[in-house]
Each structure stands twice: as C-alpha cells, then as structure tokens.
C-alpha cells in the first residue's frame, strides 16, 4: 500500500474552518455597476476554489476508502464483505469507491516521487489532475513543471502537453513529420490523432500509411491518412465480429485493398460495422423472442376464465410471439406507417 502523504491546501492552511472558506461573496448578476470582465473574474475565482476543494476532498475520500479496504483485507472474511457493507451504508458504489482509491493512489505517487509538492495540487482542476495521473510518466513530468511554476492546469493543458509529447516522441511517425511538428509547420493537435489511430493497426497497415505520409509530409496528408487509419481500424475490428465473413472463401485483406484502390474505404468500413450490428441485433431479437414465448406460456397456464383482461393482454401480444413477428413503424393510423414482418426460423423441434 502506498503511504498517504498529508497535505494542507491554501484553502485551510490559515487555520480556518474549511467550510468557512467556501462562504465567499458571489457578484450580483443584476448589478450593472460591475463590468463583464470583473464579473467573470470573480465567478472564475469562486469556481476554482470549489474545484480545488472538490479535488482535495476526493483524494482524502480515496485515502479513507483505501484504509477501510486494507483493514478489511487484514481482519475480514477474505471476501471483502465488510468493505462492501461499509460502502452500502454510505451509498457508494464499488466502482465509485475504486475510482476514488485510484485517485488517492495517483496523488500519493505523484507526491512521493517528487513530481509535485503539496501546494502544487491547488493548481489543478479535478479533471486535469485525474488526466495527469492517467498519463505517461513523461507527460506527468511536463504537467508537473507547469504546476510548479504556479500556472493553472486544466484538462486542456494536460491534453495539449500529451499531444505535444506524443507527436515529438512516437516512433510511428516518419522523421519528416516529426521535424515539421517540431518547427510547428504541422500543429500537434493534428499529429496526435494520427498516432492514436496508427496504434490500432497491425504493422503492415501501419507501414503503408507511414510511407504515404512520409512521401507528402504536409497537413492535408496528415488529415487524410488519419481518416484512412480510422476507417481501416473500424473495418478490421468489425470484420472479426461478423460471422458471415468468417469463411475461407473470402479474402478480407484483398477486399480492403480494392476498397482503398477505388476510394470507397469509408463506405466499406461502415458497411462491415453495420453488418456486425445487424448480426448482434438478430441474436438479441431471437433471445428476446424466446424469452417472451416462455413468459406468455407461463402466464397462460397460471391464468384462466377468471382473468379475461390478462388473457386479452396475451392475445394482443400474439403478433410478437408467433414465428412471423409483425411490428408497425410509426403510428398505425398514419399513412406513412410501415408494417415490418420478420419470420423466425430456427432448428428447434417445434418448427418455429
């Protein structure tokens, strides 16, 4: 377990009751005597105080939860029942608890490794701090430098620094692109998405796109290759989930090359994705149809002549329980309504 590092933020270090520090005076929105810049400055200041207080509170909540969990591990029943009961009493879900514990661990790690001083925590918005904790060590160092200078760190700054580091260091980018990124000819906000999309692809596809962008290392090519990489990843991921494509008679790679050659990769990727969704929807439809039939049979057996309304309910569900499902798209009385019929054929012995 990482040792907790107590810190006292500037919100409380003056020896005041923490709650009193939140009793600041907000500007009157009806006051025409206050300028718009001054109004927004006061609002922003108040918001930052709340943001800092919220971050510190969540860090300490995470430390408390971690202590309860570890105590339970030491003397509990081995299944964490005591910890889960503790969470239940306080209306905290398990996922929320472990999210807070992760935040506390991250805070302690950043403090322990000397990346941050206790006072530096106040420079972060809550989301920025979480984003920093989840970033690569190199990005954490860059963000920590900003915080130590006393500059405000929001999620936007963290993302910008992460993009800059990725664009300058990724081996997936040709040297020509990295050089143009370094001299700001190609902005990092366009290069970072390219890296993320390339990371999703197998080596042969990476190499093809790397060659393409190396031959013409400009902004338009970076945007185009990023789009191609995105649809390539979508195609490759969706194709593995489509049973209809799981056959030796089909060469998915050749189909992909032809889609690239004729310029319809976008539509092809979306087509394969839709096919995957349709197969999943068909499986869910069949499962729901079987379950509905089981339930209607149970209700039919349990009901009788004394439950005419319940029997009427079963009759009205008939179009959904037969092997020929009928569903109306739109209001039945509307001239634009369409009646959709789906016939379910399976290998069941009942022939349905």
């Amino acid at each position: 377990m990482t040792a907790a590092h107590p810190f006292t933020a500037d919100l409380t270090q003056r020896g005041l009751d923490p709650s009193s520090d939140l009793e600041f005076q907000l500007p009157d929105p009806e006051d025409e005597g206050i300028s718009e810049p001054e109004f927004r400055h006061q609002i922003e200041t108040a918001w930052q105080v709340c943001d800092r207080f919220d971050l510190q509170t969540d860090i300490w909540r995470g430390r408390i939860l971690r202590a309860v969990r570890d105590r339970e591990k030491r003397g509990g029943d081995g299944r964490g029942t005591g910890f889960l009961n503790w969470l239940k009493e306080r209306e905290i879900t398990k996922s929320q608890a472990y999210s807070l514990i992760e935040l506390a661990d991250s805070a302690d790690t950043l403090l322990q490794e000397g990346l941050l001083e206790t006072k530096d925590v106040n420079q972060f918005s809550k989301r920025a701090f979480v984003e920093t904790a989840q970033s690569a060590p190199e990005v954490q160092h860059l963000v920590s430098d900003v915080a130590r200078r006393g500059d405000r760190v929001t999620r936007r700054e963290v993302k910008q620094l992460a993009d800059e580091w990725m664009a300058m260091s990724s081996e997936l980018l040709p040297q020509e692109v990295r050089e143009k990124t370094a001299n700001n000819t190609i902005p990092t906000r366009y290069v970072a998405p390219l890296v993320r999309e390339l990371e999703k692809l197998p080596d042969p596809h990476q190499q093809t796109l790397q060659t393409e962008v190396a031959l013409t290392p400009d902004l338009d090519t970076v945007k185009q290759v990023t789009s191609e990489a995105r649809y390539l990843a979508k195609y490759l991921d969706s194709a593995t989930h489509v049973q209809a494509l799981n056959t030796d008679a089909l060469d998915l790679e050749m189909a992909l090359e032809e889609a690239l050659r004729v310029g319809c990769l976008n539509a092809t990727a979306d087509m394969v994705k839709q096919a995957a969704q349709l197969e999943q929807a068909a499986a869910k439809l069949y499962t729901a149809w079987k379950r509905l039939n089981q339930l209607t049979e149970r209700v039919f057996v349990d009901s009788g002549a004394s439950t005419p309304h319940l029997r009427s309910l079963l009759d009205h569900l008939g179009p959904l329980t037969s092997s020929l499902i009928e569903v109306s798209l739109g209001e039945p009385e509307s001239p634009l309504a369409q009646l959709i019929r789906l016939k379910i054929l399976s290998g069941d012995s009942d022939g349905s």
Side-chain angles (χ1 to χ4, degrees):
M1 183 186 73
T2 307
H5 289 258
F7 64 83
T8 305
D10 63 350
L11 300 177
T12 58
Q13 65 186 5
R14 292 168 294 190
L16 299 174
D17 178 354
S19 63
S20 67
D21 257 8
L22 293 181
E23 294 178 2
F24 34 67
Q25 185 68 39
L26 292 178
D28 184 357
E30 305 282 337
D31 185 1
E32 297 181 359
I34 184 173
S35 66
E36 186 65 20
E38 178 60 22
F39 176 84
R40 294 194 175 277
H41 172 71
Q42 291 186 32
I43 289 293
E44 180 64 23
T45 300
W47 185 268
Q48 289 183 18
V49 170
C50 293
D51 217 4
R52 294 170 184 174
F53 208 85
D54 192 26
L55 171 60
Q56 294 167 24
T57 299
D58 277 355
I59 290 174
W60 276 108
R61 286 185 187 275
R63 288 170 173 165
I64 294 168
L65 289 164
R66 184 176 60 197
V68 176
R69 180 202 62 186
D70 293 348
R71 181 73 173 185
E72 173 68 16
K73 284 182 179 179
R74 182 182 180 89
D77 59 7
R79 295 178 299 174
T81 304
F83 179 55
L84 294 177
N85 288 337
W86 196 89
L87 296 179
K88 187 176 181 180
E89 291 173 1
R90 287 154 184 82
E91 299 181 341
I92 302 172
T93 67
K94 188 176 179 180
S95 61
Q96 288 172 331
Y98 277 95
S99 177
L100 291 170
I101 290 174
E102 183 182 11
L103 175 63
D105 288 342
S106 300
D108 292 343
T109 299
L110 293 173
L111 293 169
Q112 223 176 27
E113 295 180 354
L115 294 175
L116 292 175
E117 299 292 335
T118 55
K119 60 182 176 60
D120 297 332
V121 175
N122 286 317
Q123 303 307 120
F124 289 83
S125 70
K126 181 181 175 182
R127 294 181 69 187
F129 191 86
V130 173
E131 193 91 4
T132 301
Q134 296 173 346
S135 299
E138 295 83 356
V139 177
Q140 291 179 349
H141 280 278
L142 293 172
V143 176
S144 299
D145 289 341
V146 175
R148 282 196 296 269
R149 291 199 304 264
D151 295 337
R152 177 74 172 153
V153 181
T154 65
R155 191 165 177 262
R156 178 183 299 176
E157 279 76 34
V158 177
K159 183 180 183 303
Q160 181 179 343
L161 290 170
D163 286 352
E164 289 176 0
W165 175 77
M166 182 182 292
M168 297 296 294
S169 64
S170 176
E171 295 297 326
L172 293 175
L173 293 173
Q175 184 61 31
E176 297 86 347
V177 175
R178 278 187 282 177
E179 290 174 356
K180 292 204 170 187
T181 303
N183 62 32
N184 210 28
T185 304
I186 303 177
T188 56
R189 68 177 182 274
Y190 295 105
V191 179
L194 173 59
V195 175
R196 296 191 188 98
E197 296 302 330
L198 287 174
E199 288 175 341
K200 303 174 185 176
L201 298 174
D203 289 343
H205 294 296
Q206 287 180 353
Q207 293 169 7
T208 300
L209 295 176
Q210 287 167 340
T211 301
E212 183 177 345
V213 77
L215 290 173
T216 315
D218 56 28
L219 180 57
D220 288 340
T221 304
V222 167
K223 290 180 179 179
Q224 176 187 338
V225 172
T226 301
S227 178
E228 289 180 5
R230 183 178 298 113
Y231 284 110
L232 272 171
K234 184 189 296 185
Y235 175 91
L236 295 172
D237 178 65
S238 299
T240 60
H241 296 95
V242 181
Q243 294 182 22
L245 303 182
N246 188 17
T247 170
D248 294 335
L250 174 64
D251 191 327
L252 286 170
E253 286 293 330
M254 287 302 299
L256 177 60
E257 288 185 16
E258 291 173 356
L260 282 166
R261 177 166 55 82
V262 300
C264 65
L265 174 60
N266 185 339
T268 303
D270 282 341
M271 176 183 68
V272 175
K273 183 178 180 180
Q274 289 297 319
Q277 292 177 351
L278 180 58
E279 280 193 347
Q280 293 168 11
K284 290 181 180 179
L285 171 64
Y286 179 72
T287 302
W289 177 80
K290 290 286 289 184
R291 179 60 176 159
L292 178 60
N293 273 277
Q294 292 169 358
L295 292 171
T296 53
E297 288 175 9
R298 182 187 304 173
V299 173
F300 181 84
V301 171
D302 292 343
S303 62
S306 63
T307 58
H309 297 291
L310 189 54
R311 285 300 180 93
S312 177
L313 171 62
L314 293 175
D315 290 341
H316 281 79
L317 289 177
L320 298 177
T321 56
S322 69
S323 60
L324 183 63
I325 300 176
E326 295 185 356
V327 178
S328 177
L329 294 183
E331 293 296 330
E333 299 81 9
S334 171
L336 300 178
Q338 286 185 304
L339 183 63
I340 305 299
R341 292 185 176 89
L342 300 173
K343 188 171 183 61
I344 293 185
L345 302 174
S346 70
D348 292 349
S349 58
D350 60 7
S352 58

